Amino acid sequence: MSASSPSSEPILRVEHLTMRFGGLIAVNDLSFDVARGQITALIGPNGAGKTTVFNCITGFYKPTAGRMALFSGGVQTDHAVETVTNSPRSYRRTAKGAVFLLERLADSEIAARAKVARTFQNIRLFTGMTVLENLIVAQHNWLNRASGYSLLGIIGAPSFRKAEAQAVDLAVAWLDRIGLTGRADDPAGALPYGDQRRLEIARAMCTGPVLLCLDEPAAGLNPRESAELNELLLSIRDGNGTSILLIEHDMSVVMEISDHIVVLEYGTKISDGTPDHIRNDPKVIAAYLGVEDEEVGETEAELEK
Amino acid sequence: MANPKADAPREGDRQPVGISTALRDAGFLALFTLGLSFPILAFRTRQDLTQGLVLDPRWELVATVVAIAFFARLGWLVFGGTITQAATAAANAIGQSLEPVAKYKDWFRWAGLAVLIAYPFLAVAFTGASGALKWIDNFGIQILIYVMLGWGLNIVVGLAGLLDLGYVAFYAVGAYSTALLSTQFGFSFWICLPLAGIFAAFWGVLLGFPVLRLRGDYLAIVTLAFGEIIRLVLINWVELTNGAAGISGIPRPTFFGLPFNASDDGFAAFFGLQFTPLHRLFFLFYLILALAFLTNWVTIRMRRLPIGRAWEALREDEIACRSLGIDTVTTKLTAFAMGAMFGGFAGAFFAARLGFISPESFIFMESAVILSIVVLGGMGSQVGVAIAAVVMIGGTELLRELTWLKSVFGPQFDPTQYRMLLFGMAMVAMMVCRPRGLISNREPSIVLNEKRTIGGDLVKEGHG
Amino acid sequence: MDYFLQQLINGLTLGSVYGLIAIGYTMVYGIIGMINFAHGDVFMLSVFIALIIFLLISSLVGGLAIAVALILVLIFAMALTALWSWAIERIAYRPLRGSFRLAPLISAIGMSIFLINFVQLVQGPRNKSLPPILDGGFVIPVGDGNITLAYKQILIIVTTAVLLAAFWFVVQKTPLGRAQRACEQDRKMAALLGIDVDRTISLTFVMGAALAAVAGVLFMVQYGVVSFSDGFVPGIKAFTAAVLGGIGSLPGAVIGGLLIGLIEVFWSAYFSIDYKDVAAFSILAITLIFMPSGLLGKPDVEKV
């Protein structure tokens, strides 16, 4: 799969997503596509509702209204989507893969079945467990099956040992990629901040996702770490073929690696397109200029690049 | 692992205060103590012959208490710094002298095991056949029951981070299923034992299902409520449980069908031994030892399985678990069911050991004691829990032995009255001194290159 | 009809006692997020204190009017129980502030065990019963029967109402109440703004204990009998009341207390007296499972 070829084939189609908290409308009738094999960025001023969109996609919030269809495997016909929507079920397997309606799935089902993984704005590692353990826990579902739901595991069956060795191999492969192999046996909470961010991404990748959702992955990183992050994300896109949806404030990350950008303001989409398009969209400039004075110069400078 | 905070100045390290300040401070504390003891300690209520209440003043007791408070405070203020320094130095010295010992950890483990296995024989050798009864029963078996209960609850609280204040309910389910199955249907202990575990696990799932989405203290309170409901039902459902009077005549466990009695087909006769009640005690001791080791073995194995890691991950961060596709409900229920199952085994043993059970044995205080053993031991640490059980249960049992105190305080002095009082004080003191328990470090469940122990400050305690 | 009204009065009386204890739970939970497990036993201790003070007063000054005696008992019991609660907070909870979450809970359970056994040790294990203190009441004809409104029931309901009003004033209108609410919202920020957080928390314990002591005095007047083990069940029921009303909410605690009192009395009157505690515990479980924020509490939104 070539990264540079623009693909319009969506992996996730969000339609008319609305989320209300009491009287407050956090997300209002939002529709956008996340393209398969690409990096899509969701940007917007603080409080625009980006994290809410994320929480809806990953099932931590139940949206008030709207449809979020995830196509795993390959492109799906509208007919297939309509069939699931009209059925009481939450997913449908087709010849080319499956359609999942994320709004009908609970958080852990979205990760386990629809294969959408995520990271968190405030890093959520298992701090008291080692780096390696974090990556093994991420492979829980298939390992637990391999352990015969613990029955084979408790007697130390060879099949389980083999599966576990395989899981360790995958974990070590990811540790090599994020440069933390030497710290595999250290508690995750003892890592520096930047390493924790990368470890959280590796942990999410160990679940074998088709779509990776990153909530401000560059927050708190220094420029060198940001550059490393860019490389990592590009390698995930190109090497693993995982589509990425990310929320980010750091424009150097967004503009450099995104194939596609969606801009939110007050829960509504104000722009949608390639980085070049966004850079020149007067609505986007106005949104950023209008919100926070100290961000103005910064944002302008970023957009000029 | 060195704690950097330990070197920072603390309250105890402050400079000695001037004597007048110390006197004033101690005087204030004495006055305060007087206020606390004024009515409750100074007057003992007594029902007189006409059933009216009269007050017996006990000012000399109040005076003693106030004086102790005054001088203890004064002594602390004047010599406290020195005492703290000496204690810290002593603790460090002990810690350092233990460091080389740590290398022989495996050796110690096997030695400990050998002592445990030889314990009943040692008891007989040192205290004689009649003296050994007490040491095997009150100390050995009693402590091992709590070790097993502690280990069972440790799965729920220590590993999965779910705070369960009603654990005794599963102990009760195990005990009552054994009692009912054996007295009503004539099932033998060896059939009742697994059934008790299954019933308890079933109840664990049944009670766990609705409550597991609750977090923190709320879960604790609901489990407490369930524990109490089960006890109250046991008291009130007289037709089934015989109410508060309890169930008696529960058949004792047999040695593969050989009863422990003086009859011709009994254990002693079969092996050509002289009959003694010690045989049964020996048997019960090894039975509970085996059950406790089973609990320990299963827990250690489970920790290294995906489910065990998921329990610990759940304790660390439930939301992250859900984002990784871990079914938190099933994971929590497994922990609940496993913990309950071992509680049920322990209950079956309890019923068969005494031959009699009543709801009195399953009060909230039991849950509190088991939970405090888990927390005092250090959540998640198997060794810590065992040590805590020995210290707390053995310690309070030892108080029964302090009869020589009668010669100091007079014949009315009954040291057993102070058992639970001291137990409560010890719980507070140990929490204040070591809020994370005796052993707060965590051993990783899987190692790539080199095993490193994880400091307790990084390990989370769970929200549930 | 008369039976129903009679039970209503009895329920409100019992509910007042629960409500007064519940405030202590709810305030402490509100400010430091901890279940003060020993609170029920503080209540039990206050009944003993009230009992002894009452006996002392009646033996020292024989002919004192019962009203004056009870007011003196109330004042002493509130002050001395508050002193105990202050000491408990200082010894068992303050050193654990900001520590491991389970530590204060275990410490509180330890304190509860200590208090129960302390009272048993110094006062003996037997029930202590007083002759009825305040006899008689109004007999009101209703329909074809009568209901009795005992003087002590009037005393209980009126005292509860008056003290709750006073307490409400303290919490809403004084700097102390403001400091408490600030600490509830954000303890660190409150400390930065110059609020003595430790003192505020101590005073919260003191106020909770003083109200528990009021409940203790009323309990003594109503039932006239107490034993060392009488703290646990009223404590749990008061906690149920606090949860039912919405933990952290003061009016909620009172309403929850009244509801629990009414439910318990009506359950005993119309269903089964054996299972009245089961009813209370079931309500606790059901409320927590289906309505964890209670009647008046703030919903707890899970932050991702």
Side-chain angles (χ1 to χ4, degrees):
Chain A
M1 184 183 297
S2 157
S4 52
S5 77
S7 129
S8 57
E9 180 200 327
I11 184 159
L12 173 71
R13 172 161 285 167
V14 175
E15 291 162 287
H16 308 294
L17 180 70
T18 300
M19 182 75 208
R20 268 192 216 103
F21 295 107
L24 179 85
I25 300 179
V27 178
N28 189 13
D29 196 25
L30 174 71
S31 301
F32 65 93
D33 280 359
V34 177
R36 185 180 305 277
Q38 293 196 348
I39 295 178
T40 306
L42 196 56
I43 66 169
N46 285 331
K50 304 180 297 287
T51 299
T52 306
V53 173
F54 248 53
N55 286 339
C56 287
I57 292 173
T58 50
F60 284 89
Y61 292 162
K62 275 268 165 274
T64 317
R67 180 165 72 187
M68 298 174 292
L70 183 104
F71 312 113
S72 67
V75 71
Q76 303 288 338
T77 56
D78 288 349
H79 173 71
V81 180
E82 287 306 321
T83 315
V84 203
T85 310
N86 294 329
S87 77
R89 303 188 52 193
S90 52
Y91 69 98
R92 179 162 186 255
R93 303 216 175 272
T94 63
K96 279 183 180 167
V99 182
F100 291 92
L101 294 184
L102 301 186
E103 72 276 9
R104 294 187 186 173
L105 289 163
D107 40 24
S108 66
E109 293 172 327
I110 288 179
R113 295 159 79 180
K115 294 282 172 203
V116 177
R118 72 169 291 177
T119 65
F120 297 87
Q121 203 170 328
N122 46 337
I123 306 173
R124 285 184 175 273
L125 287 171
F126 306 122
T127 53
M129 301 175 86
T130 65
V131 171
L132 179 65
E133 281 179 310
N134 268 274
L135 299 184
I136 301 286
V137 168
Q139 305 174 54
H140 174 79
N141 282 326
W142 78 268
L143 265 184
N144 197 31
R145 274 193 299 277
S147 77
Y149 298 95
S150 304
L151 293 175
L152 290 174
I154 205 143
I155 55 166
S159 64
F160 170 66
R161 291 201 192 150
K162 223 176 97 193
E164 196 176 61
Q166 219 177 317
V168 172
D169 286 345
L170 179 67
V172 171
W174 274 104
L175 287 177
D176 286 339
R177 272 175 87 167
I178 60 172
L180 286 178
T181 317
R183 307 211 59 177
D185 295 320
D186 283 331
L191 295 180
Y193 192 78
D195 290 350
Q196 293 198 9
R197 281 258 175 236
R198 287 207 307 283
L199 178 60
E200 205 191 12
I201 295 172
R203 188 181 68 179
M205 285 308 293
C206 278
T207 64
V210 296
L211 175 64
L212 176 65
C213 299
L214 305 172
D215 196 346
E216 299 200 25
L221 300 190
N222 62 34
R224 189 180 56 78
E225 289 170 327
S226 276
E228 283 173 6
L229 176 77
N230 285 356
E231 261 173 56
L232 178 66
L233 296 187
L234 289 172
S235 85
I236 287 174
R237 180 191 69 181
D238 300 339
N240 299 72
T242 304
S243 316
I244 296 176
L245 174 65
L246 62 93
I247 293 177
E248 192 46 73
H249 281 293
D250 185 338
M251 286 303 158
S252 70
V253 173
V254 172
M255 291 298 164
E256 202 167 303
I257 65 169
S258 304
D259 301 300
H260 182 115
I261 296 175
V262 176
V263 190
L264 284 190
E265 192 192 15
Y266 299 120
T268 317
K269 183 166 86 175
I270 55 168
S271 188
D272 186 345
T274 61
D276 269 335
H277 172 79
I278 299 297
R279 218 179 301 231
N280 300 315
D281 189 335
K283 269 199 199 150
V284 177
I285 296 167
Y288 272 87
L289 290 180
V291 174
E292 272 176 39
D293 287 346
E294 66 276 320
E295 265 187 27
V296 171
E298 208 181 303
T299 315
E300 267 180 328
E302 303 280 16
L303 293 173
E304 291 315 58
K305 266 193 218 159
Chain B
M1 180 177 268
N3 180 3
K5 279 180 195 158
D7 302 329
R10 287 192 305 187
E11 208 183 341
D13 295 341
R14 64 179 159 213
Q15 296 302 309
V17 289
I19 193 75
S20 62
T21 326
L23 276 175
R24 201 167 57 213
D25 197 356
F28 175 75
L29 184 78
L31 206 64
F32 192 82
T33 314
L34 183 67
L36 287 183
S37 33
F38 161 55
I40 195 82
L41 204 59
F43 297 97
R44 186 181 170 111
T45 46
R46 179 168 56 82
Q47 222 93 24
D48 68 4
L49 293 173
T50 60
Q51 292 302 308
L53 274 182
V54 289
L55 297 175
D56 296 333
R58 292 187 296 189
W59 290 106
E60 68 295 337
L61 181 64
V62 175
T64 318
V65 170
V66 169
I68 290 173
F70 178 79
F71 287 111
R73 179 72 185 161
L74 194 64
W76 176 252
L77 287 173
V78 177
F79 305 110
T82 334
I83 295 171
T84 319
Q85 276 168 15
T88 317
N92 284 343
I94 292 171
Q96 269 162 13
S97 66
L98 280 180
E99 253 165 44
V101 174
K103 272 186 274 182
Y104 302 103
K105 217 161 103 186
D106 280 339
W107 191 87
F108 266 95
R109 195 169 292 158
W110 291 112
L113 190 65
V115 169
L116 260 181
I117 290 172
Y119 176 80
F121 294 98
L122 293 175
V124 174
F126 283 104
T127 58
S130 55
L133 282 175
K134 181 183 76 195
W135 285 98
I136 299 173
D137 202 19
N138 292 2
F139 286 87
I141 297 178
Q142 185 75 2
I143 290 175
L144 281 172
I145 290 182
Y146 280 94
V147 170
M148 176 165 179
L149 288 170
W151 278 341
L153 184 60
N154 197 21
I155 297 175
V156 183
V157 179
L159 292 182
L162 303 165
L163 189 48
D164 182 354
L165 274 181
Y167 189 62
V168 79
F170 307 123
Y171 189 40
V173 168
Y176 268 87
S177 16
T178 302
L180 290 171
L181 289 173
S182 61
T183 55
Q184 304 292 322
F185 301 102
F187 286 14
S188 86
F189 172 76
W190 295 106
I191 299 173
C192 291
L193 181 70
L195 285 178
I198 291 169
F199 281 135
F202 170 74
W203 275 93
V205 172
L206 204 69
L207 297 187
F209 200 74
V211 304
L212 286 177
R213 62 197 186 93
L214 296 174
R215 288 185 298 159
D217 300 341
Y218 279 13
L219 179 70
I221 290 297
V222 174
T223 49
L224 185 158
F226 279 151
E228 284 297 296
I229 289 173
I230 287 193
R231 185 179 66 87
L232 291 167
V233 169
L234 289 178
I235 292 178
N236 288 309
W237 193 357
V238 181
E239 301 82 50
L240 182 73
T241 64
N242 199 22
I247 300 176
S248 54
I250 303 163
R252 305 303 188 85
T254 56
F255 185 82
F256 300 106
L258 296 175
F260 291 93
N261 56 23
S263 69
D264 285 342
D265 44 4
F267 174 83
F270 186 85
F271 287 98
L273 300 165
Q274 177 81 41
F275 172 75
T276 140
L278 274 178
H279 288 156
R280 173 185 285 140
L281 275 188
F282 270 53
F283 174 68
L284 287 174
F285 179 87
Y286 289 118
L287 179 59
I288 186 69
L289 188 66
L291 284 173
F293 273 127
L294 176 75
T295 315
N296 188 34
W297 182 80
V298 170
T299 310
I300 289 175
R301 287 302 282 232
M302 296 280 276
R303 258 200 83 208
R304 296 186 191 137
L305 291 182
I307 188 72
R309 287 194 201 104
W311 288 339
E312 292 200 79
L314 204 63
R315 179 192 66 203
E316 295 283 323
D317 194 326
E318 183 177 340
I319 287 175
C321 277
R322 301 208 304 244
S323 84
L324 298 173
I326 295 174
D327 183 345
T328 50
V329 173
T330 318
T331 309
K332 286 179 181 180
L333 280 181
T334 336
F336 233 65
M338 288 294 292
M341 184 180 77
F342 290 119
F345 286 156
F349 175 83
F350 177 79
R353 171 199 179 203
L354 296 179
F356 165 76
I357 50 167
S358 78
E360 271 292 287
S361 308
F362 307 105
I363 52 173
F364 164 71
M365 202 51 78
E366 289 294 310
S367 291
V369 167
I370 304 166
L371 179 68
S372 60
I373 285 173
V374 173
V375 177
L376 293 175
M379 300 209 323
S381 162
Q382 298 289 98
V383 181
V385 168
I387 295 174
V390 172
V391 170
M392 299 302 279
I393 305 300
T396 47
E397 284 294 322
L398 263 184
L399 280 174
R400 291 190 205 271
E401 304 303 312
L402 301 179
T403 37
W404 56 270
L405 284 174
K406 279 193 194 225
S407 58
V408 184
F409 293 101
Q412 289 93 33
F413 183 81
D414 179 8
T416 56
Q417 285 188 332
Y418 295 85
R419 262 177 78 222
M420 291 312 285
L421 184 81
L422 290 174
F423 190 89
M425 282 164 79
M427 272 171 83
V428 175
M430 289 184 80
M431 278 300 105
V432 171
C433 299
R434 281 195 82 95
R436 280 173 176 274
L438 294 170
I439 300 180
S440 58
N441 292 341
R442 180 181 171 270
E443 298 277 316
S445 65
I446 188 167
V447 172
L448 190 63
N449 300 314
E450 177 202 358
K451 184 151 127 187
R452 294 173 203 155
T453 305
I454 299 166
D457 47 335
L458 289 173
V459 181
K460 301 229 173 82
E461 59 203 304
H463 295 277
Chain C
M1 185 62 193
D2 50 335
Y3 186 65
F4 175 82
L5 280 177
Q6 185 67 58
Q7 299 307 328
L8 186 72
I9 294 168
N10 296 348
L12 288 177
T13 317
L14 185 62
S16 304
V17 174
Y18 290 153
L20 285 167
I21 310 175
I23 290 177
Y25 279 110
T26 224
M27 281 205 308
V28 167
Y29 195 91
I31 201 161
I32 53 174
M34 163 201 161
I35 299 172
N36 180 11
F37 224 94
H39 192 61
D41 301 299
V42 169
F43 159 77
M44 177 271 298
L45 182 75
S46 80
V47 185
F48 271 92
I49 292 177
L51 189 91
I52 296 171
I53 302 277
F54 181 77
L55 288 171
L56 259 186
I57 289 177
S58 36
S59 66
L60 289 180
V61 260
L64 209 58
I66 191 79
V68 181
L70 281 181
I71 287 173
L72 282 175
V73 169
L74 193 66
I75 292 169
F76 271 103
M78 285 171 78
L80 293 169
T81 311
L83 200 66
W84 267 93
S85 186
W86 188 89
I88 290 170
E89 194 273 335
R90 184 69 190 78
I91 293 168
Y93 307 150
R94 191 183 295 180
L96 294 171
R97 201 104 78 223
S99 143
F100 200 50
R101 184 178 56 91
L102 275 179
L105 185 72
I106 299 293
S107 187
I109 294 175
M111 206 25 116
S112 159
I113 296 177
F114 169 78
L115 284 176
I116 293 171
N117 287 281
F118 173 75
V119 172
Q120 183 186 10
L121 193 66
V122 300
Q123 293 295 333
R126 291 183 54 187
N127 276 352
K128 309 288 172 186
S129 53
L130 278 178
I133 293 174
L134 204 57
D135 261 343
F138 301 107
V139 176
I140 308 161
V142 176
D144 47 0
N146 288 323
I147 58 169
T148 312
L149 188 55
Y151 295 136
K152 53 189 178 190
Q153 290 179 319
I154 301 174
L155 175 81
I156 289 173
I157 293 170
V158 170
T159 313
T160 307
V162 170
L163 280 164
L164 281 183
F167 170 74
W168 184 248
F169 176 81
V170 170
V171 171
Q172 290 297 317
K173 304 283 177 198
T174 63
L176 170 63
R178 214 157 35 236
Q180 275 178 329
R181 273 172 285 143
C183 290
E184 251 171 63
Q185 295 281 327
D186 188 337
R187 230 185 300 158
K188 264 193 200 128
M189 195 62 212
L192 286 175
L193 293 175
I195 292 174
D196 186 340
V197 174
D198 278 341
R199 190 173 148 267
T200 311
I201 293 174
S202 282
L203 283 173
T204 307
F205 274 85
V206 161
M207 282 161 70
L211 288 176
V214 176
V217 173
L218 300 179
F219 182 90
M220 177 189 78
V221 172
Q222 171 77 8
Y223 300 101
V225 56
V226 64
S227 94
F228 68 94
S229 59
D230 278 351
F232 180 66
V233 170
I236 292 287
K237 286 185 185 157
F239 181 78
T240 308
V243 168
L244 185 61
I247 197 139
S249 154
L250 297 177
V254 179
I255 293 170
L258 292 177
L259 277 174
I260 292 288
L262 287 171
I263 290 168
E264 187 182 329
V265 166
F266 278 108
W267 186 280
S268 311
Y270 289 100
F271 298 106
S272 150
I273 196 155
D274 288 341
Y275 283 95
K276 73 179 161 70
D277 289 352
V278 175
F281 287 120
S282 305
I283 290 165
L284 176 62
I286 291 167
T287 315
L288 281 174
I289 293 168
F290 295 106
M291 206 174 48
S293 51
L295 296 172
L296 303 178
K298 287 165 288 208
D300 178 25
V301 178
E302 183 179 54
K303 290 209 181 75
V304 179

